[in-house]
């Protein structure tokens, strides 16, 4: 199921299904950015509500999500930021409403839970791990990230090869120069691990697994990868794509494995292609990647093989 590609004059919505934007300025600056490009902007009623670490109660955040899917004029929904809270909404989402009103969704981090559940329940493909207004867009939007995002959201053609700097990306495992194709699922490693074994986890067999994270020590990442391996996800994967894992190194003065050692322990003997240090997720210079799209891995080259918009 695919949504329509964005075009100038369309209405985009900004909502907060997890945590609230840190300051009001991030919301107003985001509105100005989209309006300057010729888009209309609608805000979720509760986008700046506060309920502890959440952007309002579950009922309020769910109401904003449903409202924007219900509105015929809204063509894309951007999550203002991540944080925490989307997983609390999964049992209460009206998936039939979403199925009847396919729209573009853009976000990352905590959005992993929503993307996974919506993909599993509806088959919607037009969901993108990409820049969030209140984090990446509102102030000094990276030109690399901006160009990829808009090309991804406005074109009906497959994106093709995702650009990368020379020697930026590396490969590991038994198939260092291998080729594989599959549908990409995953996102934030901690969030994705939390939905494994629930009715909201997508089918992992024959998938390309995509993971990134921020601020997790190596032992925590070790725990998440151990869970994935125990669930059979790593063994069944047709490929593994790993991000840059920002601020995930050992804490000084504590005994620890390095990040590379953890990767080697879990992926060093994997037969499928494993590509590391990819630019997506919690970094400013990031790719925009459609959840559930066919991805081709050729050595260290990653390309999107199908259009997820109509």
């Amino acid at each position: 199921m695919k949504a329509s590609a964005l075009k100038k004059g369309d209405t985009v919505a900004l909502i907060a299904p997890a945590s609230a934007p840190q300051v009001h300025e991030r919301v107003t600056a985001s509105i100005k950015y989209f309006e300057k490009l010729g888009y209309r902007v609608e805000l979720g009623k509760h986008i700046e509500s506060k309920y502890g670490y959440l952007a309002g109660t579950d009922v309020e955040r769910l109401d904003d999500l449903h409202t924007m899917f219900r509105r015929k004029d809204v063509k894309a929904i951007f999550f203002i930021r991540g944080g925490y809270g989307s997983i609390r909404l999964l049992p209460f989402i009206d998936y039939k409403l979403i199925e009847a009103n396919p729209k573009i969704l853009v976000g990352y981090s905590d959005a992993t839970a929503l993307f996974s559940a919506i993909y599993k329940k509806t088959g919607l493909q037009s969901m993108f791990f990409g820049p969030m207004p209140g984090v990446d867009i509102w102030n000094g939007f990276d030109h690399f990230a901006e160009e990829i995002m808009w090309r991804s959201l406005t074109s009906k053609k497959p994106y093709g090869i995702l650009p990368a700097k020379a020697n930026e990306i590396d490969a590991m495992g038994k198939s260092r120069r291998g080729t594989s194709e599959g549908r990409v699922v995953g996102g934030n490693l901690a969030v994705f691990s939390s939905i494994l074994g629930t009715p909201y986890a997508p089918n992992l067999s024959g998938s390309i697994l995509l993971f990134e994270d921020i601020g997790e020590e190596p032992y925590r990442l070790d725990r998440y990868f151990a869970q994935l391996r125990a669930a059979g996800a790593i063994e069944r994967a047709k490929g593994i794509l790993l991000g840059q894992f920002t601020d995930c190194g050992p804490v000084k003065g504590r005994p620890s494995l390095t990040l590379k050692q953890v990767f080697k322990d879990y992926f060093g003997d994997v037969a499928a292609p494993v590509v590391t240090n990819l630019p997506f997720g919690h970094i400013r210079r990031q790719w925009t990647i459609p959840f559930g799209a066919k991805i081709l891995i050729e050595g260290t080259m990653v390309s999107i093989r199908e259009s997820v918009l109509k």
Side-chain angles (χ1 to χ4, degrees):
M1 188 172 64
K2 300 177 181 180
S4 298
L6 275 179
K7 59 183 184 300
K8 294 292 179 67
D10 281 346
T11 298
V12 301
L14 310 184
I15 66 171
S19 298
Q22 294 174 326
V23 291
H24 178 69
E25 181 188 3
R26 298 193 177 201
V27 177
T28 56
S30 297
I31 294 171
K32 290 179 181 178
Y33 171 82
F34 286 105
E35 289 182 340
K36 186 177 180 179
L37 293 179
Y39 294 92
R40 297 185 177 94
V41 181
E42 289 291 332
L43 295 181
K45 180 180 178 182
H46 307 288
I47 192 170
E48 294 189 78
S49 297
K50 300 287 196 305
Y51 178 60
Y53 39 73
L54 303 168
T57 65
D58 294 348
V59 171
E60 290 172 333
R61 290 177 289 115
L62 187 66
D63 179 62
D64 280 357
L65 180 69
H66 284 162
T67 295
M68 296 312 177
F69 267 104
R70 197 174 291 117
R71 287 186 53 162
K72 300 298 183 183
D73 59 324
V74 171
K75 303 302 180 183
I77 301 171
F78 286 79
F79 302 151
I80 192 76
R81 63 159 296 185
Y84 169 75
S86 297
I87 194 171
R88 294 173 57 141
L89 307 182
L90 304 190
F92 311 107
I93 292 174
D94 185 346
Y95 295 100
K96 291 190 179 298
L97 170 67
I98 295 174
E99 195 171 16
N101 299 277
K103 301 179 189 295
I104 292 171
L105 297 179
V106 186
Y108 61 92
S109 193
D110 200 64
T112 299
L114 282 174
F115 288 3
S116 298
I118 292 172
Y119 183 72
K120 174 68 175 291
K121 298 293 187 179
T122 73
L124 179 63
Q125 283 188 287
S126 307
M127 300 181 290
F128 297 83
F129 290 118
M132 293 186 289
V135 181
D136 312 286
I137 294 176
W138 76 283
N139 183 26
F141 196 1
D142 180 86
H143 294 305
F144 175 90
E146 182 178 28
E147 181 179 344
I148 295 178
M149 185 188 81
W150 284 117
R151 180 176 161 188
S152 299
L153 303 185
T154 60
S155 176
K156 301 176 185 179
K157 298 179 180 179
Y159 189 95
I161 299 172
L162 289 162
K165 294 178 180 178
N167 301 320
E168 176 180 32
I169 297 172
D170 198 7
M172 64 181 301
K174 292 182 178 180
S175 183
R176 292 181 65 87
R177 296 295 167 185
T179 299
S180 185
E181 184 177 77
R183 294 195 179 278
V184 63
V185 298
N188 179 267
L189 178 60
V191 177
F192 193 83
S193 296
S194 69
I195 66 167
L196 279 180
T198 74
Y200 310 104
N203 183 3
L204 303 183
S205 295
S207 296
I208 303 289
L209 299 181
L210 172 79
F211 293 119
E212 62 85 35
D213 221 316
I214 184 172
E216 298 280 3
E217 291 183 48
Y219 82 91
R220 292 179 179 270
L221 299 177
D222 191 320
R223 178 191 299 155
Y224 303 140
F225 287 136
Q227 183 181 10
L228 286 167
R229 185 167 66 183
I234 294 175
E235 181 183 0
R236 300 197 305 268
K238 296 184 72 174
I240 309 288
L241 301 176
L242 301 174
Q244 297 182 5
F245 288 84
T246 308
D247 297 329
C248 289
V251 173
K252 188 175 181 180
R254 295 184 189 174
S256 176
L257 295 174
T258 66
L259 197 54
K260 287 186 177 181
Q261 286 174 315
V262 173
F263 288 169
K264 183 179 180 182
D265 285 346
Y266 286 96
F267 306 111
D269 293 326
V270 170
V274 181
V275 188
T276 64
N277 203 42
L278 299 173
F280 76 98
H282 290 86
I283 54 174
R284 295 193 65 79
R285 184 181 175 275
Q286 62 179 274
W287 286 344
T288 294
I289 303 178
F291 190 107
K294 286 183 180 178
I295 294 281
L296 175 67
I297 302 173
E298 295 178 288
T300 58
M301 185 177 70
V302 180
S303 58
I304 299 171
R305 302 285 285 177
E306 68 174 336
S307 171
V308 295
L309 299 173
K310 62 181 182 180

